[in-house]
Amino acid sequence: MAHKRASMADVARIAGVSAQTVSRVVNASPRVDPATRARVEEAMARSGYRIHRAARALRTGRSGTIGVVVSTLATVGNSLMLEAVTDAAAEREHDVAVVTLGSGDAAEALQRLNEQGVDGVVVINEASALVRSADLPTALRLVVVDSPPDDRFAGVETDHAGGAAGATAHLLALGHATVAHIAGPATSYAAAERERGWRDTLEAAGRPVGALVRGSWSSASGYEAAQTLIGDGAVGTALFVANDQMALGALRALAEHGARVPEDVSVVGFDDVDDAANYRPPLTTVRQHFDRLGAQAVAALLDEGDLGSTSATGATRAVMPAPLIVRDSTGPAPV
């Protein structure tokens, strides 16, 4: 014999609230206090109540799905950002439809998501450059992660320049005369901002700007970039690397050439991925709060509220701090 499907009335009875309160929880209304919401959600779980998303979409005008546009998932930063957005969407009872662009047509991808009826789209990192140059569906709400200000969409970003400045200042305070840099791709906004923070800090301190070689975010490219710096005699005694994966490759290259870290060369990364504390030596790095970035992007998309600041172009944006996490890969300059 088939079991009767739990109803809102069943949930209301178990939770000791009105059916209207259950309805508000189901429809993600902000007019429910957290304790009551938790009690209703517990009652849903106990009763086996399942939200009928198609019916909710008809009532609310929302599909319960957001789109995510990303250029590639091969980089750790993009994968972590996608995970953060997916987790934040799940907390808001939204599914995620992901489009990977590569070098594809951003306008076509956005139009496809728009036709699917998504409640909005989060654009991640390098994909923002493709979106900025595309014809955007006028009715589609966008939040872009790591992009220059644009009046057409809200923005969320890490303080890349500030984080890089903190990393560079840390190395200068340890007595290093200058800092070399393994930068990210020239097309990346985040890489450009990190490079700017590094360069501006050196110039403000009256120090010579160290050598720069670019990588592609992968550990292999960090290894090759460090090999180039070492071969040119340009690595010096301090190296700021634009992400932790490239820093891992740089550590390998330095070890192969007999350079001790940090006794001979101090190394700083960026991101603070989970493995950074287990590098050899544990990596000093700049922390990106991917969970906060994801939560802020989804909230900005679904709540349509003010992000907290307005750029010179009038676009609202949120900027997340990027603190330096000091570990064993940095030390005083050799004498």
Side-chain angles (χ1 to χ4, degrees):
M1 180 176 178
H3 292 287
K4 178 185 174 183
R5 180 171 176 164
S7 65
M8 282 192 186
D10 296 324
V11 175
R13 177 178 49 79
I14 295 171
V17 299
S18 68
Q20 184 180 37
T21 297
V22 176
S23 177
R24 286 174 178 163
V25 172
V26 167
N27 292 304
S29 169
R31 297 171 57 193
V32 183
D33 72 80
T36 301
R37 184 182 301 278
R39 194 161 74 248
V40 171
E41 289 173 345
E42 181 182 0
M44 287 178 181
R46 286 173 55 192
S47 66
Y49 178 81
R50 297 177 66 84
I51 297 172
H52 195 296
R53 292 202 169 190
R56 183 172 71 176
L58 288 173
R59 291 194 303 271
T60 65
R62 287 190 168 184
S63 66
T65 300
I66 65 173
V68 176
V69 174
V70 61
S71 60
T72 177
L73 292 176
T75 65
V76 172
N78 283 1
S79 295
L80 290 172
M81 194 64 228
L82 175 60
E83 180 182 25
V85 170
T86 301
D87 288 347
E91 290 182 2
R92 303 289 293 265
E93 297 184 346
H94 274 65
D95 293 326
V96 171
V98 180
V99 175
T100 304
L101 285 181
S103 57
D105 189 333
E108 180 182 343
L110 291 171
Q111 186 59 46
R112 189 162 68 249
L113 288 169
N114 193 40
E115 290 170 355
Q116 292 177 25
V118 297
D119 296 331
V121 175
V122 176
V123 182
I124 295 177
N125 302 349
E126 289 86 352
S128 67
L130 297 172
V131 168
R132 287 200 309 276
S133 61
D135 291 329
L136 306 179
T138 56
L140 187 62
R141 182 169 173 81
L142 297 180
V143 174
V144 178
V145 180
D146 286 344
S147 173
D150 191 309
D151 286 329
R152 295 173 297 170
F153 40 71
V156 177
E157 66 178 273
T158 293
D159 184 7
H160 301 286
T168 307
H170 168 68
L171 291 166
L172 295 181
L174 289 170
H176 299 278
T178 188
V179 180
H181 184 36
I182 297 179
T187 55
S188 166
Y189 171 75
E193 285 293 282
R194 294 171 197 180
E195 180 183 336
R196 179 171 70 87
W198 161 77
R199 188 181 302 276
D200 287 354
T201 302
L202 289 172
E203 291 177 347
R207 304 296 180 86
V209 175
L212 181 149
V213 179
R214 294 195 182 279
S216 61
W217 298 129
S218 70
S219 56
S221 73
Y223 174 80
E224 293 297 331
Q227 291 277 30
T228 298
L229 288 171
I230 294 166
D232 291 344
V235 71
T237 65
L239 178 61
F240 169 50
V241 189
N243 78 336
D244 292 348
Q245 291 300 109
M246 292 195 297
L248 178 61
L251 289 173
R252 175 193 165 198
L254 290 167
E256 287 182 356
H257 285 268
R260 300 167 301 164
V261 176
E263 291 84 357
D264 300 318
V265 181
S266 287
V267 178
V268 180
F270 202 111
D271 284 342
D272 194 26
V273 298
D274 287 344
D275 292 336
N278 293 309
Y279 284 9
R280 185 174 183 183
L283 185 66
T284 295
T285 185
V286 178
R287 176 171 292 167
Q288 281 210 81
H289 293 287
F290 290 103
D291 54 344
R292 297 183 193 176
L293 285 167
Q296 182 69 72
V298 170
L301 196 67
L302 299 181
D303 297 341
E304 302 186 12
D306 182 21
L307 285 171
S309 64
T310 304
S311 72
T313 64
T316 53
R317 19 196 334 104
V319 180
M320 302 292 157
L324 182 69
I325 308 301
V326 178
R327 299 194 179 100
D328 296 344
S329 66
T330 53
V335 293

